[in-house]
Amino acid sequence: MRPTDFTLRGALDALNEGEITSEELTRAHLDAIEALNPRINAYITVTAEKALEAARASDARRKAGQAGRLDGVPLAIKDLFCTEGTRTTAASRILGEFVPPYESTVTANLLRDGAVFLGKVNLDEFAMGSSNATSAFGGVENPWSRRNDPDTKLVPGGSSGGSAAAVAARLALGATATDTGGSIRQPAAFCGIAGIKPTYGRCSRWGVVAFASSLDQAGPVARTVEDCALLLGSMAGFDPKDSTSVDLPVPDFAAACARGVKGLRIGVPKEYRLPGMPEEIGRLWEQGLDWLRAEGAEIVEISLPHTKYALPTYYIVAPAEASSNLARYDGVRYGARVSTGGDLKDLYEHTRAAGFGAEVKRRIMIGTYVLSAGYYDAYYLKAQRVRALIKRDFDEAWEKVDAILTPATPSAAFGADEKQDDPVAMYLNDVFTVTANLAGLPGLSVPAGLDAQGLPLGLQVIGKPFDEETVFAVGTALERAADFTTLPGVRAGQA
Ligand code: GLN
């Protein structure tokens, strides 16, 4: 077995058994990155020297009997997490060569537990997008391709496209990601891996470049549900530096994976049966319900009546918060500056015009519009009210069910040239995922099957607030039943 083929759990076992060193594991991943990244473009920055140094330090800790719970495991970090001394771009020109003088809390937690960082991975600019196409550092290629059309390059999804592609292509054992409206779950589904957005407040947002602060949440992507549980156990936890971080103990998520689903009530929201949804997505959903039923779960039909307003609500709230958050990029305090000798306003205008890409500008304009006097009540305030109703739908559902099962995405990965000219078609990708962000709930995407073209499809498990444990239990049951073993065409060690 190649070292890049380990699951994270498998790698930890091999490290603990002395079958491999972190240096060997890390070197194998760096070699794979060197061979494949020119094609996949998952990494924006590779920190090879730092990684090897960290791996050697980890091996020394293990020898001394002081290994942490993720000691020696090579990971990729979404380039939205500030990393001390390592360039952090948010895939935007405006952050340019920004090198943070501090470490985000989530990445600091991973380092505390001994993880080795291979580098910073690609994303949509400021995490705005569903295909990684808006990155100032170029798109990312999905390691999967269509059976009958292998030459068409497919997107990895977004915004955490680099995280998902790196893990699927065996260029990291796991990765950090963020999810504001689906950016962990949709790319995980498109790349045939697992990913969880935890409950809002579970992970600290401190040091993560802000997009829409009331929706943003960090989480892991990895090849198995248990690997996600191991990573989240390290990433999560109360942080006084983030006032929305919640002071609750972090449960043993990995232990919860083995709980089983016997006796659990699983909700099926009837409003998620979308008109025009591809038949194979509906079939996979039914299959998922059958699997859970066979393991002793009870399937309960539920209603989330405000679902149809979720997408428009999200695309008002998220741009509104983004327009406010991105006001800080003015050419004075961070990154790039375009000075043309005019006054301060000229400096702002020129810097922002040159520094932001088209999608980011669109979001800032939409956000500024919905927050402006005269439109605030009609759009922003209304959206906030609908958001409360969406949350209430879930609160009522939790009286009847323990978790909810839905498809993760309305389609498999699409071509790099498809949907790019139509922002609304792109926004529709998020139809099943944004509700969990609006309501602050945990959502896990699990690879569960293939479409007619041989591309991965995911199922989503949504849970009660701070009940990631049930989500992991249901996800593990699905993963076991689906026995998803197909591998992407492009991955480390392949011709
Ligand atoms: N696709 C969504 C958007 O473009 C989700 C982004 C995210 O979750 N970061 O806003």
Side-chain angles (χ1 to χ4, degrees), residues 197-384:
K197 178 198 93 72
T199 313
Y200 184 80
R202 184 61 98 176
C203 287
S204 169
R205 290 182 297 108
W206 196 80
V208 184
V209 176
F211 166 7
S213 305
S214 78
L215 301 160
D216 295 345
Q217 197 42 216
V221 295
R223 289 203 281 275
T224 68
V225 174
E226 188 194 18
D227 286 358
C228 285
L230 288 166
L231 287 170
L232 184 61
S234 170
M235 294 163 69
F238 174 61
D239 177 10
K241 291 202 287 265
D242 170 5
S243 61
T244 62
S245 139
V246 173
D247 194 358
L248 279 178
V250 179
D252 185 344
F253 295 128
C257 291
R259 277 185 188 175
V261 298
K262 205 171 166 52
L264 287 182
R265 299 161 303 166
I266 306 293
V268 193
K270 60 173 191 243
E271 291 81 5
Y272 281 54
R273 290 201 186 93
L274 298 179
M277 184 168 82
E279 218 180 286
E280 50 198 359
I281 303 275
R283 264 204 308 274
L284 183 77
W285 193 10
E286 287 304 325
Q287 173 72 264
L289 294 169
D290 285 345
W291 285 330
L292 295 178
R293 209 180 274 119
E295 301 245 346
E298 182 195 342
I299 309 302
V300 181
E301 176 150 85
I302 56 168
S303 172
L304 300 169
H306 296 91
T307 298
K308 61 175 176 293
Y309 304 117
L311 214 47
T313 301
Y314 172 82
Y315 277 99
I316 289 172
V317 173
E321 293 185 20
S323 71
S324 162
N325 270 327
L326 271 59
R328 75 189 68 174
Y329 304 104
D330 53 12
V332 177
R333 285 166 291 188
Y334 301 91
R337 171 181 301 179
V338 181
S339 174
T340 46
D343 61 11
L344 186 63
K345 193 161 151 275
D346 289 327
L347 172 74
Y348 291 165
E349 284 178 2
H350 288 119
T351 299
R352 288 167 70 82
F356 290 135
E359 182 61 26
V360 174
K361 286 178 187 160
R362 177 169 21 241
R363 304 284 179 115
I364 292 173
M365 284 191 282
I366 295 172
T368 307
Y369 179 82
V370 301
L371 289 175
S372 56
Y375 296 104
Y376 184 91
D377 289 0
Y379 293 105
Y380 186 67
L381 199 63
K382 182 88 146 271
Q384 292 288 40

Side-chain angles (χ1 to χ4, degrees), residues 78 80 124 126-131 158-160 178-186 211 216 314-315 318 359 363 426-427 429-430 433-434 437:
K78 186 176 183 178
L80 202 63
D124 282 294
F126 282 105
M128 297 173 189
S130 306
S131 67
S159 67
S160 312
T178 62
D179 191 313
T180 303
S183 280
I184 289 176
R185 293 159 285 158
Q186 183 253 21
F211 166 7
D216 295 345
Y314 172 82
Y315 277 99
E359 182 61 26
R363 304 284 179 115
M426 193 63 84
Y427 298 168
N429 266 287
D430 309 326
T433 44
V434 294
N437 300 81

